[in-house]
Amino acid sequence: MRIRSILAYIAAGVVTLALPSIVMAHTKVVASTPAQGTTVARPKQVRLTFSEALLPPTVATSIVMTAMPGVKNHGEMVIRNFTSSWSDGNKTLTLMLRQPLRAGSYDVRWQAAGADGHRMTGKVSFNVS
Ligand SMILES: [Cu+2]
């Protein structure tokens, strides 16, 4: 009985020590096409690969044009003409545009809840020439 309670005490300690690494493992984008900071020819799809498998209903993404060549104070324009699909065991999200993106600057903004339920947000920015 005494040994059992000691073992339970040790097990509780191990779980407590393991917690910080679980909390730290927040969802992030580990790769994208176009890649962050690059300039590409008019893409017809955008792909985000996350650090972990996600539940698609928890993921929201938007493609926002933030600047257009030759237009001052363009403001933000949300691009809506795409469909999306998951692959790679729900780690990779592909946004397929009905028309290639026009020249300009873009943010792909995302939010997603990872395994610990915390909602994370981020963005990938790139230029289209
Ligand atoms: Cu978290």
Side-chain angles (χ1 to χ4, degrees):
M1 199 58 180
R2 166 158 268 177
I3 288 176
R4 270 197 196 166
S5 58
I6 290 170
L7 286 177
Y9 187 79
I10 291 169
V14 169
V15 168
T16 305
L17 288 175
L19 271 176
S21 62
I22 294 169
V23 171
M24 297 283 281
H26 284 150
T27 304
K28 60 183 179 182
V29 167
V30 293
S32 69
T33 310
Q36 164 66 35
T38 55
T39 299
V40 298
R42 301 182 63 190
K44 224 188 157 190
Q45 62 178 34
V46 171
R47 183 168 287 172
L48 302 178
T49 298
F50 293 91
S51 53
E52 61 182 317
L54 296 172
L55 280 176
T58 73
V59 182
T61 50
S62 60
I63 303 175
V64 181
M65 185 187 220
T66 57
M68 201 172 181
V71 181
K72 274 192 179 174
N73 305 318
H74 180 265
E76 298 194 336
M77 190 176 87
V78 179
I79 308 297
R80 298 183 191 281
N81 59 342
F82 63 86
T83 57
S84 57
S85 70
W86 287 89
S87 58
D88 191 20
N90 286 349
K91 277 186 167 182
T92 297
L93 175 65
T94 302
L95 309 177
M96 291 151 293
L97 292 141
R98 293 197 185 87
Q99 307 205 317
L101 294 175
R102 301 171 61 175
S105 300
Y106 293 85
D107 282 352
V108 179
R109 297 173 189 165
W110 60 267
Q111 53 177 285
D116 72 359
H118 292 167
R119 183 164 289 278
M120 304 304 294
T121 63
K123 69 175 178 178
V124 173
S125 302
F126 60 87
N127 301 300
V128 174
S129 60

